[in-house]
Amino acid sequence: MRILLVNHGTAGDWGGGDGVQMRETGKRLMQRGHSVELINADRFNPAGFDLVHIFNCRVHQSFEQQLLSCHQAQMPVVVSPIWVSIARALWGSRGSVGLLEKAAEEGAGAAQPLLDQLRERRLTVMLPNGHIQASGDGSWDQSGLRLVAHLLKGVDGLLPNSWLELQAVRSDLHWDGDCFEVAHYGVDPKLFLDADPSPFRERFGLTQPFVLQAGRIEPAKNQAMLCWALRETNLPIVLIGNGDHWPSYRELCQRIYGERLLVIDHLPQEQLASAYAAAAVHVLPSWMETCGLVSLEAALAGTPLVGSTFGHELEYLGKDAWYGDPADPTSIKRAVLEAIKAGPQSRQALSMKRKVLEKFNWEKTVDASERLYRRVLQKRSASENA
């Protein structure tokens, strides 16, 4: 097959799991003998390919242009939505920022009533284009969601990264198609399995147990809430990720946690693997994860995991992790302390490592991708010959 893999035009500036999935998929498709090209673009000419695979439909302006390029060329399209319940995630991420800024400036007492409203899902959050409730309802502009829902009806096949993601697409975007495969994220064991913690500890002088969160530093990833949750402990926090898109949010994390916070913009994968192995726990209290690829990487290093109750992590982590409510700092703190106490030799940490090795690898991801490609092409061929 001749396959064009496409992410939105600004994907290279943001990074993230969608880009990793596209690269790993492309590499393995080529190893299997397919002709593959990878691009980050909104408009393109797909002539000469058999099929286009688009990653991430959340950037709706880009997604509209990408599909237009495909439809004009009458090209079959498969989409990996990389979907989370955007409205609820928007409510939580924007709401928590405002509250934590108030807490950092005026103290916990001043912000506690609003933090209680956030935890109880009673808070009304004001956005530039209206207000939003925890349910996603409100006066905010939802035209982007409606556009994505409309556009998805015109694709040939869907490749969500979990069954929970598929259900979210059905619930949020009313997608009722039957041409799909579930392609779970994978991890490369050669990079992360049983990494050596010493290089990271020695480079940054971290000898005591510390809490790690890897990923872009932004409200959706909820690092400031992690800092707020642990502010009365003596645990150092290490954040590894780019904060250039939200410099004020990175500064908020620093204001909350002070000199106990270490922020590292970027590490090569070998050093990132060492960081995972050195950490006492990896925490991802995010408002919008389709998987939490960094959690799977950390699991291979043997690190206990804390996931979020909000996204689709449950399908990956199951009972082999601890969970925190991203709206509840007490819940996050309890999960972190329990995971650290259990340690890397706990049943959960060892079971999670085995599960990643057995179930979550890129070969299986590409197996599902190939099955859907063939199904889409067979359906298109049958339709053209009817």
Side-chain angles (χ1 to χ4, degrees), residues 185-341:
Y185 275 114
V187 184
D188 189 343
K190 294 194 297 294
L191 294 172
F192 299 104
L193 183 62
D194 296 329
D196 181 1
S198 300
F200 183 81
R201 287 177 179 155
E202 292 169 1
R203 176 178 175 183
F204 294 99
L206 288 163
T207 57
Q208 69 184 99
F210 66 91
V211 176
L212 173 65
Q213 181 173 346
R216 285 191 308 271
I217 300 173
E218 63 184 18
K221 300 292 186 182
N222 212 26
Q223 288 96 341
M225 187 65 82
L226 173 63
C227 293
W228 185 258
L230 300 183
R231 72 192 187 283
E232 295 179 350
T233 73
N234 62 357
L235 288 165
I237 295 177
V238 176
L239 304 180
I240 301 176
N242 190 297
D244 292 347
H245 293 286
W246 290 89
S248 63
Y249 188 74
R250 180 175 54 194
E251 292 165 7
L252 173 61
C253 295
Q254 203 78 60
R255 293 211 316 271
I256 293 171
Y257 221 68
E259 62 184 17
R260 295 170 298 161
L261 178 67
L262 172 63
V263 179
I264 303 169
D265 285 343
H266 173 75
L267 283 179
Q269 284 189 311
E270 183 177 318
Q271 294 182 39
L272 178 60
S274 179
Y276 288 140
V281 61
H282 184 271
V283 188
L284 192 62
S286 176
W287 290 103
M288 52 183 307
E289 294 298 324
T290 59
C291 159
L293 187 56
V294 290
S295 295
L296 303 187
E297 294 171 352
L300 280 184
T303 310
L305 304 179
V306 171
S308 171
T309 60
F310 214 71
H312 306 150
E313 302 96 317
L314 179 64
E315 187 164 327
Y316 289 83
L317 306 183
K319 61 183 179 180
D320 298 321
W322 291 260
Y323 293 91
D325 179 347
D328 184 355
T330 301
S331 167
I332 295 170
K333 178 181 177 181
R334 181 174 59 248
V336 168
L337 295 180
E338 288 178 354
I340 292 175
K341 183 178 179 180

Side-chain angles (χ1 to χ4, degrees), residues 7-8 11 14-25 40 53 55-56 58 80-83 161 165 183-187 214-216 218 221 269 284 288-297 316 362 365:
N7 206 337
H8 62 89
W14 288 89
D18 51 353
V20 175
Q21 184 184 357
M22 187 170 83
R23 290 193 302 272
E24 296 295 338
T25 298
N40 293 334
H53 181 172
F55 294 78
N56 195 344
R58 299 200 309 248
S80 290
I82 322 291
W83 186 258
N161 293 127
E165 183 184 344
H184 290 100
Y185 275 114
V187 184
R216 285 191 308 271
E218 63 184 18
K221 300 292 186 182
Q269 284 189 311
L284 192 62
M288 52 183 307
E289 294 298 324
T290 59
C291 159
L293 187 56
V294 290
S295 295
L296 303 187
E297 294 171 352
Y316 289 83
W362 293 116
T365 308

Side-chain angles (χ1 to χ4, degrees), residues 69-87:
S69 297
C70 295
H71 294 332
Q72 287 176 339
Q74 298 183 316
M75 184 66 57
V77 185
V78 164
V79 174
S80 290
I82 322 291
W83 186 258
V84 292
S85 295
I86 295 294

Side-chain angles (χ1 to χ4, degrees), residues 80-152:
S80 290
I82 322 291
W83 186 258
V84 292
S85 295
I86 295 294
R88 295 192 303 124
L90 184 64
W91 169 84
S93 59
R94 298 300 186 271
S96 61
V97 171
L99 298 188
L100 291 173
E101 286 176 343
K102 182 178 180 67
E105 292 172 8
E106 303 177 24
Q112 193 58 52
L114 294 175
L115 284 165
D116 290 340
Q117 290 181 36
L118 183 77
R119 174 175 51 82
E120 296 165 2
R121 309 310 197 254
R122 295 186 291 108
L123 185 72
T124 298
V125 176
M126 301 306 299
L127 302 173
N129 56 10
H131 72 274
I132 186 170
Q133 307 289 348
S135 63
D137 297 325
S139 61
W140 66 292
D141 181 8
Q142 301 183 46
S143 59
L145 290 181
R146 291 192 292 269
L147 175 61
V148 173
H150 169 72
L151 293 171
L152 278 181

